[in-house]
Amino acid sequence: MRPTAKGLCIAATTAILAAASVVTYVAAQSAEPKEKVIKITAKRFDYTPGNLTLKKGEPVILEFTTLDVLMGFNLPDFNLRADIVPDKVTRVRLVPDKTGTFTFLCDIFCGARHEEMNGRITVVD
Ligand SMILES: [Cu+2]
């Protein structure tokens, strides 16, 4: 059976609509970018990485794990704290609303050099 002109026209229209919906879908995806995830590994007595640089106003998810014992994450300048529990992933959302360099520290006693366990977050414009 030969394709009719009407049949070809319907096929072409369908193809164009399908292409248009793909473009719309991609545009919607990029309008809501996924929040950046930064993995931080804690172990006695440090955080890796221990120095982060973030952009003001840009939300990030800090994703903590501990290689040994229960640890804390405390970032007083942003009123953030969390327990970092062995065999668990701890996620903390941070939207830096000010620039500067801020210290975070372990606030759960984890051993001899616990007091020295800290890191820095630098927030830039
Ligand atoms: Cu500690």
Side-chain angles (χ1 to χ4, degrees), residues 1 11 15 17 31 44 50 62 70 76 84 86 92-93 111-112 115 121 125:
M1 198 173 91
L17 286 176
R44 290 184 179 123
L62 304 177
L70 175 70
I84 309 170
V92 176
R93 187 172 187 269
E115 297 293 333
I121 293 179
D125 259 320

Side-chain angles (χ1 to χ4, degrees), residues 78-101:
F78 291 89
N79 259 321
L80 276 183
R81 86 152 306 283
D83 292 341
I84 309 170
V85 183
D87 301 319
K88 280 193 175 182
V89 176
T90 301
R91 290 183 185 84
V92 176
R93 187 172 187 269
L94 169 62
V95 188
D97 59 355
K98 55 193 166 197
T99 58
T101 298

Side-chain angles (χ1 to χ4, degrees), residues 71 106 108-110 114 117:
M71 302 285 187
C106 176
I108 294 177
F109 183 78
C110 57
H114 157 74
M117 186 170 168

Side-chain angles (χ1 to χ4, degrees), residues 6-92:
K6 191 181 172 193
L8 283 175
C9 186
I10 289 169
T13 307
T14 307
I16 289 165
L17 286 176
S21 65
V22 167
V23 170
T24 309
Y25 176 72
V26 170
Q29 287 270 300
S30 60
E32 286 177 65
K34 276 212 162 175
E35 291 180 349
K36 189 176 167 189
V37 176
I38 301 171
K39 292 178 192 289
I40 301 174
T41 305
K43 68 173 195 297
R44 290 184 179 123
F45 300 95
D46 71 28
Y47 298 97
T48 305
N51 286 288
L52 306 176
T53 301
L54 305 178
K55 283 207 83 172
K56 186 183 168 186
E58 206 168 87
V60 293
I61 307 290
L62 304 177
E63 203 175 85
F64 293 95
T65 51
T66 170
L67 296 182
D68 39 41
V69 296
L70 175 70
M71 302 285 187
F73 167 75
N74 194 331
L75 180 62
D77 293 286
F78 291 89
N79 259 321
L80 276 183
R81 86 152 306 283
D83 292 341
I84 309 170
V85 183
D87 301 319
K88 280 193 175 182
V89 176
T90 301
R91 290 183 185 84
V92 176

